[in-house]
mmCIF file of all heavy atoms in Angstrom:
data_model
loop_
_atom_site.group_PDB
_atom_site.id
_atom_site.type_symbol
_atom_site.label_atom_id
_atom_site.label_comp_id
_atom_site.label_asym_id
_atom_site.label_seq_id
_atom_site.Cartn_x
_atom_site.Cartn_y
_atom_site.Cartn_z
ATOM 1 N N ASN A 1 -5.789 -12.541 -7.948
ATOM 2 C CA ASN A 1 -6.247 -12.555 -9.337
ATOM 3 C C ASN A 1 -7.410 -11.585 -9.517
ATOM 4 O O ASN A 1 -8.273 -11.467 -8.641
ATOM 5 C CB ASN A 1 -6.699 -13.963 -9.738
ATOM 6 C CG ASN A 1 -5.523 -14.902 -9.940
ATOM 7 O OD1 ASN A 1 -4.933 -14.966 -11.002
ATOM 8 N ND2 ASN A 1 -5.179 -15.641 -8.885
ATOM 9 N N ILE A 2 -7.408 -10.883 -10.644
ATOM 10 C CA ILE A 2 -8.508 -9.995 -10.974
ATOM 11 C C ILE A 2 -8.912 -10.225 -12.435
ATOM 12 O O ILE A 2 -8.092 -10.590 -13.264
ATOM 13 C CB ILE A 2 -8.151 -8.513 -10.762
ATOM 14 C CG1 ILE A 2 -6.872 -8.138 -11.528
ATOM 15 C CG2 ILE A 2 -8.009 -8.203 -9.275
ATOM 16 C CD1 ILE A 2 -6.549 -6.648 -11.477
ATOM 17 N N LYS A 3 -10.157 -9.976 -12.725
ATOM 18 C CA LYS A 3 -10.644 -10.113 -14.095
ATOM 19 C C LYS A 3 -10.436 -8.827 -14.885
ATOM 20 O O LYS A 3 -10.121 -8.867 -16.077
ATOM 21 C CB LYS A 3 -12.130 -10.494 -14.085
ATOM 22 C CG LYS A 3 -12.406 -11.894 -13.552
ATOM 23 C CD LYS A 3 -13.893 -12.214 -13.636
ATOM 24 C CE LYS A 3 -14.184 -13.632 -13.130
ATOM 25 N NZ LYS A 3 -15.632 -13.940 -13.178
ATOM 26 N N THR A 4 -10.621 -7.702 -14.212
ATOM 27 C CA THR A 4 -10.484 -6.405 -14.879
ATOM 28 C C THR A 4 -9.601 -5.502 -14.024
ATOM 29 O O THR A 4 -9.852 -5.331 -12.825
ATOM 30 C CB THR A 4 -11.854 -5.735 -15.088
ATOM 31 O OG1 THR A 4 -12.699 -6.630 -15.813
ATOM 32 C CG2 THR A 4 -11.710 -4.437 -15.852
ATOM 33 N N ALA A 5 -8.587 -4.936 -14.636
ATOM 34 C CA ALA A 5 -7.665 -4.068 -13.903
ATOM 35 C C ALA A 5 -8.295 -2.701 -13.654
ATOM 36 O O ALA A 5 -9.106 -2.211 -14.448
ATOM 37 C CB ALA A 5 -6.357 -3.918 -14.665
ATOM 38 N N GLY A 6 -7.927 -2.099 -12.555
ATOM 39 C CA GLY A 6 -8.359 -0.749 -12.214
ATOM 40 C C GLY A 6 -7.532 -0.237 -11.053
ATOM 41 O O GLY A 6 -6.829 -0.999 -10.385
ATOM 42 N N ASP A 7 -7.592 1.056 -10.823
ATOM 43 C CA ASP A 7 -6.878 1.622 -9.673
ATOM 44 C C ASP A 7 -7.460 1.066 -8.374
ATOM 45 O O ASP A 7 -8.669 0.789 -8.284
ATOM 46 C CB ASP A 7 -7.016 3.141 -9.652
ATOM 47 C CG ASP A 7 -6.257 3.836 -10.769
ATOM 48 O OD1 ASP A 7 -5.490 3.156 -11.487
ATOM 49 O OD2 ASP A 7 -6.424 5.058 -10.926
ATOM 50 N N THR A 8 -6.595 0.958 -7.362
ATOM 51 C CA THR A 8 -7.063 0.572 -6.036
ATOM 52 C C THR A 8 -6.116 1.153 -4.997
ATOM 53 O O THR A 8 -5.088 1.752 -5.334
ATOM 54 C CB THR A 8 -7.190 -0.961 -5.911
ATOM 55 O OG1 THR A 8 -7.933 -1.280 -4.734
ATOM 56 C CG2 THR A 8 -5.827 -1.638 -5.845
ATOM 57 N N PHE A 9 -6.472 0.988 -3.729
ATOM 58 C CA PHE A 9 -5.663 1.510 -2.624
ATOM 59 C C PHE A 9 -5.450 0.389 -1.615
ATOM 60 O O PHE A 9 -6.418 -0.117 -1.042
ATOM 61 C CB PHE A 9 -6.363 2.699 -1.951
ATOM 62 C CG PHE A 9 -6.656 3.841 -2.880
ATOM 63 C CD1 PHE A 9 -7.829 3.879 -3.623
ATOM 64 C CD2 PHE A 9 -5.740 4.876 -3.031
ATOM 65 C CE1 PHE A 9 -8.103 4.929 -4.491
ATOM 66 C CE2 PHE A 9 -5.997 5.932 -3.891
ATOM 67 C CZ PHE A 9 -7.171 5.959 -4.627
ATOM 68 N N LEU A 10 -4.204 0.005 -1.417
ATOM 69 C CA LEU A 10 -3.915 -1.032 -0.433
ATOM 70 C C LEU A 10 -4.111 -0.464 0.969
ATOM 71 O O LEU A 10 -3.533 0.572 1.322
ATOM 72 C CB LEU A 10 -2.487 -1.544 -0.583
ATOM 73 C CG LEU A 10 -2.189 -2.433 -1.796
ATOM 74 C CD1 LEU A 10 -0.748 -2.927 -1.735
ATOM 75 C CD2 LEU A 10 -3.149 -3.614 -1.870
ATOM 76 N N ASP A 11 -4.911 -1.145 1.757
ATOM 77 C CA ASP A 11 -5.218 -0.700 3.117
ATOM 78 C C ASP A 11 -4.159 -1.246 4.071
ATOM 79 O O ASP A 11 -4.115 -2.441 4.354
ATOM 80 C CB ASP A 11 -6.605 -1.182 3.521
ATOM 81 C CG ASP A 11 -7.051 -0.627 4.858
ATOM 82 O OD1 ASP A 11 -6.255 0.082 5.509
ATOM 83 O OD2 ASP A 11 -8.201 -0.899 5.262
ATOM 84 N N MET A 12 -3.299 -0.354 4.581
ATOM 85 C CA MET A 12 -2.203 -0.752 5.474
ATOM 86 C C MET A 12 -2.486 -0.339 6.918
ATOM 87 O O MET A 12 -1.569 -0.285 7.757
ATOM 88 C CB MET A 12 -0.881 -0.131 5.001
ATOM 89 C CG MET A 12 -0.567 -0.325 3.533
ATOM 90 S SD MET A 12 -0.566 -2.050 2.978
ATOM 91 C CE MET A 12 0.822 -2.720 3.894
ATOM 92 N N THR A 13 -3.745 -0.105 7.237
ATOM 93 C CA THR A 13 -4.132 0.415 8.542
ATOM 94 C C THR A 13 -3.599 -0.421 9.690
ATOM 95 O O THR A 13 -3.165 0.109 10.719
ATOM 96 C CB THR A 13 -5.666 0.523 8.646
ATOM 97 O OG1 THR A 13 -6.148 1.345 7.578
ATOM 98 C CG2 THR A 13 -6.079 1.110 9.979
ATOM 99 N N ASN A 14 -3.625 -1.733 9.564
ATOM 100 C CA ASN A 14 -3.248 -2.617 10.674
ATOM 101 C C ASN A 14 -1.803 -3.092 10.590
ATOM 102 O O ASN A 14 -1.410 -3.992 11.338
ATOM 103 C CB ASN A 14 -4.197 -3.821 10.712
ATOM 104 C CG ASN A 14 -5.638 -3.399 10.981
ATOM 105 O OD1 ASN A 14 -5.887 -2.535 11.819
ATOM 106 N ND2 ASN A 14 -6.572 -3.983 10.251
ATOM 107 N N TRP A 15 -1.033 -2.492 9.706
ATOM 108 C CA TRP A 15 0.365 -2.859 9.567
ATOM 109 C C TRP A 15 1.237 -1.889 10.368
ATOM 110 O O TRP A 15 0.731 -0.939 10.960
ATOM 111 C CB TRP A 15 0.763 -2.872 8.090
ATOM 112 C CG TRP A 15 0.091 -3.980 7.317
ATOM 113 C CD1 TRP A 15 -1.247 -4.117 7.066
ATOM 114 C CD2 TRP A 15 0.720 -5.109 6.725
ATOM 115 N NE1 TRP A 15 -1.491 -5.267 6.331
ATOM 116 C CE2 TRP A 15 -0.291 -5.887 6.110
ATOM 117 C CE3 TRP A 15 2.041 -5.537 6.622
ATOM 118 C CZ2 TRP A 15 -0.022 -7.076 5.423
ATOM 119 C CZ3 TRP A 15 2.313 -6.719 5.934
ATOM 120 C CH2 TRP A 15 1.295 -7.463 5.354
ATOM 121 N N GLY A 16 2.541 -2.118 10.372
ATOM 122 C CA GLY A 16 3.437 -1.303 11.180
ATOM 123 C C GLY A 16 4.164 -0.242 10.391
ATOM 124 O O GLY A 16 3.776 0.925 10.362
ATOM 125 N N LYS A 17 5.230 -0.648 9.713
ATOM 126 C CA LYS A 17 6.028 0.295 8.945
ATOM 127 C C LYS A 17 6.798 -0.480 7.891
ATOM 128 O O LYS A 17 7.356 -1.545 8.179
ATOM 129 C CB LYS A 17 7.011 1.047 9.852
ATOM 130 C CG LYS A 17 7.682 2.257 9.214
ATOM 131 C CD LYS A 17 8.529 3.002 10.235
ATOM 132 C CE LYS A 17 8.882 4.404 9.758
ATOM 133 N NZ LYS A 17 9.628 4.413 8.491
ATOM 134 N N GLY A 18 6.848 0.040 6.678
ATOM 135 C CA GLY A 18 7.592 -0.663 5.638
ATOM 136 C C GLY A 18 7.295 -0.140 4.261
ATOM 137 O O GLY A 18 6.849 1.003 4.082
ATOM 138 N N ILE A 19 7.540 -0.986 3.266
ATOM 139 C CA ILE A 19 7.320 -0.641 1.865
ATOM 140 C C ILE A 19 6.610 -1.792 1.178
ATOM 141 O O ILE A 19 6.644 -2.943 1.657
ATOM 142 C CB ILE A 19 8.646 -0.327 1.132
ATOM 143 C CG1 ILE A 19 9.620 -1.516 1.246
ATOM 144 C CG2 ILE A 19 9.276 0.939 1.671
ATOM 145 C CD1 ILE A 19 10.899 -1.363 0.448
ATOM 146 N N VAL A 20 5.987 -1.496 0.033
ATOM 147 C CA VAL A 20 5.212 -2.504 -0.691
ATOM 148 C C VAL A 20 5.580 -2.476 -2.166
ATOM 149 O O VAL A 20 5.654 -1.403 -2.776
ATOM 150 C CB VAL A 20 3.693 -2.265 -0.541
ATOM 151 C CG1 VAL A 20 2.910 -3.321 -1.308
ATOM 152 C CG2 VAL A 20 3.290 -2.263 0.932
ATOM 153 N N PHE A 21 5.795 -3.665 -2.720
ATOM 154 C CA PHE A 21 5.974 -3.831 -4.160
ATOM 155 C C PHE A 21 4.740 -4.537 -4.729
ATOM 156 O O PHE A 21 4.268 -5.532 -4.156
ATOM 157 C CB PHE A 21 7.193 -4.704 -4.476
ATOM 158 C CG PHE A 21 8.519 -4.117 -4.086
ATOM 159 C CD1 PHE A 21 9.016 -4.279 -2.805
ATOM 160 C CD2 PHE A 21 9.283 -3.401 -5.003
ATOM 161 C CE1 PHE A 21 10.249 -3.760 -2.443
ATOM 162 C CE2 PHE A 21 10.514 -2.878 -4.650
ATOM 163 C CZ PHE A 21 11.001 -3.054 -3.367
ATOM 164 N N VAL A 22 4.240 -4.053 -5.862
ATOM 165 C CA VAL A 22 3.179 -4.743 -6.601
ATOM 166 C C VAL A 22 3.667 -4.949 -8.026
ATOM 167 O O VAL A 22 3.987 -3.984 -8.719
ATOM 168 C CB VAL A 22 1.865 -3.943 -6.587
ATOM 169 C CG1 VAL A 22 0.843 -4.583 -7.522
ATOM 170 C CG2 VAL A 22 1.293 -3.876 -5.175
ATOM 171 N N ASN A 23 3.773 -6.193 -8.414
ATOM 172 C CA ASN A 23 4.259 -6.545 -9.765
ATOM 173 C C ASN A 23 5.572 -5.832 -10.091
ATOM 174 O O ASN A 23 5.795 -5.355 -11.206
ATOM 175 C CB ASN A 23 3.203 -6.234 -10.825
ATOM 176 C CG ASN A 23 1.979 -7.123 -10.695
ATOM 177 O OD1 ASN A 23 2.055 -8.239 -10.168
ATOM 178 N ND2 ASN A 23 0.853 -6.655 -11.179
ATOM 179 N N GLY A 24 6.437 -5.756 -9.098
ATOM 180 C CA GLY A 24 7.757 -5.175 -9.298
ATOM 181 C C GLY A 24 7.852 -3.676 -9.081
ATOM 182 O O GLY A 24 8.952 -3.124 -9.087
ATOM 183 N N HIS A 25 6.725 -2.994 -8.898
ATOM 184 C CA HIS A 25 6.713 -1.543 -8.685
ATOM 185 C C HIS A 25 6.722 -1.236 -7.195
ATOM 186 O O HIS A 25 5.871 -1.723 -6.446
ATOM 187 C CB HIS A 25 5.471 -0.908 -9.325
ATOM 188 C CG HIS A 25 5.395 -1.068 -10.799
ATOM 189 N ND1 HIS A 25 6.028 -0.219 -11.682
ATOM 190 C CD2 HIS A 25 4.757 -1.988 -11.573
ATOM 191 C CE1 HIS A 25 5.785 -0.597 -12.931
ATOM 192 N NE2 HIS A 25 5.021 -1.668 -12.887
ATOM 193 N N ASN A 26 7.655 -0.405 -6.763
ATOM 194 C CA ASN A 26 7.719 0.019 -5.370
ATOM 195 C C ASN A 26 6.710 1.143 -5.168
ATOM 196 O O ASN A 26 6.898 2.260 -5.649
ATOM 197 C CB ASN A 26 9.138 0.489 -5.034
ATOM 198 C CG ASN A 26 9.332 0.795 -3.557
ATOM 199 O OD1 ASN A 26 8.372 1.058 -2.836
ATOM 200 N ND2 ASN A 26 10.568 0.772 -3.105
ATOM 201 N N LEU A 27 5.637 0.856 -4.433
ATOM 202 C CA LEU A 27 4.574 1.840 -4.221
ATOM 203 C C LEU A 27 4.974 2.923 -3.239
ATOM 204 O O LEU A 27 4.367 3.993 -3.212
ATOM 205 C CB LEU A 27 3.313 1.140 -3.693
ATOM 206 C CG LEU A 27 2.719 0.025 -4.545
ATOM 207 C CD1 LEU A 27 1.465 -0.521 -3.871
ATOM 208 C CD2 LEU A 27 2.406 0.504 -5.954
ATOM 209 N N GLY A 28 5.997 2.647 -2.410
ATOM 210 C CA GLY A 28 6.430 3.623 -1.436
ATOM 211 C C GLY A 28 6.255 3.138 -0.013
ATOM 212 O O GLY A 28 5.977 1.972 0.252
ATOM 213 N N ARG A 29 6.395 4.072 0.909
ATOM 214 C CA ARG A 29 6.444 3.791 2.343
ATOM 215 C C ARG A 29 5.054 3.886 2.971
ATOM 216 O O ARG A 29 4.260 4.763 2.639
ATOM 217 C CB ARG A 29 7.388 4.802 2.997
ATOM 218 C CG ARG A 29 7.587 4.695 4.475
ATOM 219 C CD ARG A 29 8.517 5.792 4.993
ATOM 220 N NE ARG A 29 9.886 5.580 4.527
ATOM 221 C CZ ARG A 29 10.509 6.352 3.648
ATOM 222 N NH1 ARG A 29 9.875 7.384 3.102
ATOM 223 N NH2 ARG A 29 11.745 6.102 3.279
ATOM 224 N N TYR A 30 4.770 2.999 3.932
ATOM 225 C CA TYR A 30 3.609 3.145 4.813
ATOM 226 C C TYR A 30 4.118 3.192 6.247
ATOM 227 O O TYR A 30 5.218 2.733 6.556
ATOM 228 C CB TYR A 30 2.600 1.994 4.629
ATOM 229 C CG TYR A 30 3.129 0.639 5.049
ATOM 230 C CD1 TYR A 30 3.004 0.179 6.361
ATOM 231 C CD2 TYR A 30 3.770 -0.198 4.139
ATOM 232 C CE1 TYR A 30 3.513 -1.061 6.753
ATOM 233 C CE2 TYR A 30 4.278 -1.432 4.512
ATOM 234 C CZ TYR A 30 4.146 -1.857 5.823
ATOM 235 O OH TYR A 30 4.651 -3.080 6.209
ATOM 236 N N TRP A 31 3.316 3.767 7.149
ATOM 237 C CA TRP A 31 3.693 3.861 8.558
ATOM 238 C C TRP A 31 2.419 4.045 9.376
ATOM 239 O O TRP A 31 1.602 4.910 9.064
ATOM 240 C CB TRP A 31 4.646 5.036 8.762
ATOM 241 C CG TRP A 31 5.292 5.111 10.122
ATOM 242 C CD1 TRP A 31 5.292 4.154 11.103
ATOM 243 C CD2 TRP A 31 6.040 6.216 10.647
ATOM 244 N NE1 TRP A 31 5.995 4.584 12.192
ATOM 245 C CE2 TRP A 31 6.475 5.848 11.951
ATOM 246 C CE3 TRP A 31 6.399 7.469 10.148
ATOM 247 C CZ2 TRP A 31 7.229 6.692 12.750
ATOM 248 C CZ3 TRP A 31 7.155 8.316 10.939
ATOM 249 C CH2 TRP A 31 7.567 7.923 12.230
ATOM 250 N N LYS A 32 2.262 3.239 10.398
ATOM 251 C CA LYS A 32 1.020 3.190 11.163
ATOM 252 C C LYS A 32 0.642 4.510 11.821
ATOM 253 O O LYS A 32 -0.533 4.743 12.126
ATOM 254 C CB LYS A 32 1.097 2.100 12.227
ATOM 255 C CG LYS A 32 2.169 2.316 13.280
ATOM 256 C CD LYS A 32 2.227 1.153 14.266
ATOM 257 C CE LYS A 32 3.332 1.354 15.302
ATOM 258 N NZ LYS A 32 3.412 0.197 16.234
ATOM 259 N N VAL A 33 1.604 5.419 12.029
ATOM 260 C CA VAL A 33 1.280 6.689 12.689
ATOM 261 C C VAL A 33 0.354 7.557 11.845
ATOM 262 O O VAL A 33 -0.300 8.466 12.357
ATOM 263 C CB VAL A 33 2.558 7.480 13.050
ATOM 264 C CG1 VAL A 33 3.433 6.690 14.009
ATOM 265 C CG2 VAL A 33 3.347 7.876 11.797
ATOM 266 N N GLY A 34 0.297 7.310 10.527
ATOM 267 C CA GLY A 34 -0.541 8.104 9.644
ATOM 268 C C GLY A 34 0.020 9.482 9.402
ATOM 269 O O GLY A 34 1.177 9.770 9.713
ATOM 270 N N PRO A 35 -0.761 10.391 8.831
ATOM 271 C CA PRO A 35 -2.194 10.257 8.563
ATOM 272 C C PRO A 35 -2.533 9.371 7.360
ATOM 273 O O PRO A 35 -3.678 8.962 7.209
ATOM 274 C CB PRO A 35 -2.616 11.694 8.302
ATOM 275 C CG PRO A 35 -1.399 12.323 7.682
ATOM 276 C CD PRO A 35 -0.237 11.711 8.407
ATOM 277 N N GLN A 36 -1.552 9.071 6.508
ATOM 278 C CA GLN A 36 -1.801 8.213 5.357
ATOM 279 C C GLN A 36 -1.822 6.758 5.805
ATOM 280 O O GLN A 36 -0.886 6.275 6.442
ATOM 281 C CB GLN A 36 -0.704 8.413 4.307
ATOM 282 C CG GLN A 36 -0.846 7.509 3.088
ATOM 283 C CD GLN A 36 0.253 7.719 2.061
ATOM 284 O OE1 GLN A 36 1.064 8.636 2.178
ATOM 285 N NE2 GLN A 36 0.299 6.871 1.060
ATOM 286 N N GLN A 37 -2.905 6.057 5.457
ATOM 287 C CA GLN A 37 -3.023 4.648 5.836
ATOM 288 C C GLN A 37 -3.180 3.725 4.625
ATOM 289 O O GLN A 37 -3.278 2.512 4.787
ATOM 290 C CB GLN A 37 -4.221 4.446 6.772
ATOM 291 C CG GLN A 37 -4.158 5.253 8.060
ATOM 292 C CD GLN A 37 -3.088 4.777 9.028
ATOM 293 O OE1 GLN A 37 -2.508 3.711 8.854
ATOM 294 N NE2 GLN A 37 -2.807 5.566 10.060
ATOM 295 N N THR A 38 -3.204 4.291 3.431
ATOM 296 C CA THR A 38 -3.324 3.492 2.205
ATOM 297 C C THR A 38 -2.178 3.806 1.266
ATOM 298 O O THR A 38 -1.534 4.844 1.375
ATOM 299 C CB THR A 38 -4.651 3.784 1.479
ATOM 300 O OG1 THR A 38 -4.783 5.200 1.282
ATOM 301 C CG2 THR A 38 -5.842 3.250 2.262
ATOM 302 N N LEU A 39 -1.953 2.896 0.322
ATOM 303 C CA LEU A 39 -0.982 3.113 -0.748
ATOM 304 C C LEU A 39 -1.703 3.005 -2.083
ATOM 305 O O LEU A 39 -2.407 2.012 -2.345
ATOM 306 C CB LEU A 39 0.149 2.090 -0.678
ATOM 307 C CG LEU A 39 1.177 2.276 0.442
ATOM 308 C CD1 LEU A 39 2.128 1.082 0.488
ATOM 309 C CD2 LEU A 39 1.966 3.566 0.278
ATOM 310 N N TYR A 40 -1.510 4.005 -2.918
ATOM 311 C CA TYR A 40 -2.150 4.040 -4.233
ATOM 312 C C TYR A 40 -1.508 3.020 -5.165
ATOM 313 O O TYR A 40 -0.287 2.981 -5.321
ATOM 314 C CB TYR A 40 -2.010 5.442 -4.816
ATOM 315 C CG TYR A 40 -2.452 5.599 -6.252
ATOM 316 C CD1 TYR A 40 -3.713 5.187 -6.672
ATOM 317 C CD2 TYR A 40 -1.601 6.183 -7.192
ATOM 318 C CE1 TYR A 40 -4.111 5.343 -7.991
ATOM 319 C CE2 TYR A 40 -1.997 6.357 -8.510
ATOM 320 C CZ TYR A 40 -3.250 5.934 -8.909
ATOM 321 O OH TYR A 40 -3.636 6.080 -10.212
#
């Protein structure tokens, strides 16, 4: 829950490999090898 909406970055640093949905939106792929470790 949040009081005020704003942009953020999900920190997937300690995860393995996969995809993330937020409120029905597919944010895309993450993978522990990097260099990208967050999802916008």
Side-chain angles (χ1 to χ4, degrees):
N1 286 275
I2 54 174
K3 292 183 179 179
T4 304
D7 290 352
T8 193
F9 302 87
L10 287 184
D11 186 356
M12 310 305 295
T13 303
N14 297 318
W15 292 65
K17 192 175 196 301
I19 57 174
V20 180
F21 294 86
V22 172
N23 293 335
H25 298 276
N26 187 338
L27 302 181
R29 180 182 291 111
Y30 66 88
W31 190 11
K32 63 183 178 182
V33 299
Q36 177 180 353
Q37 301 290 349
T38 53
L39 286 173
Y40 172 53

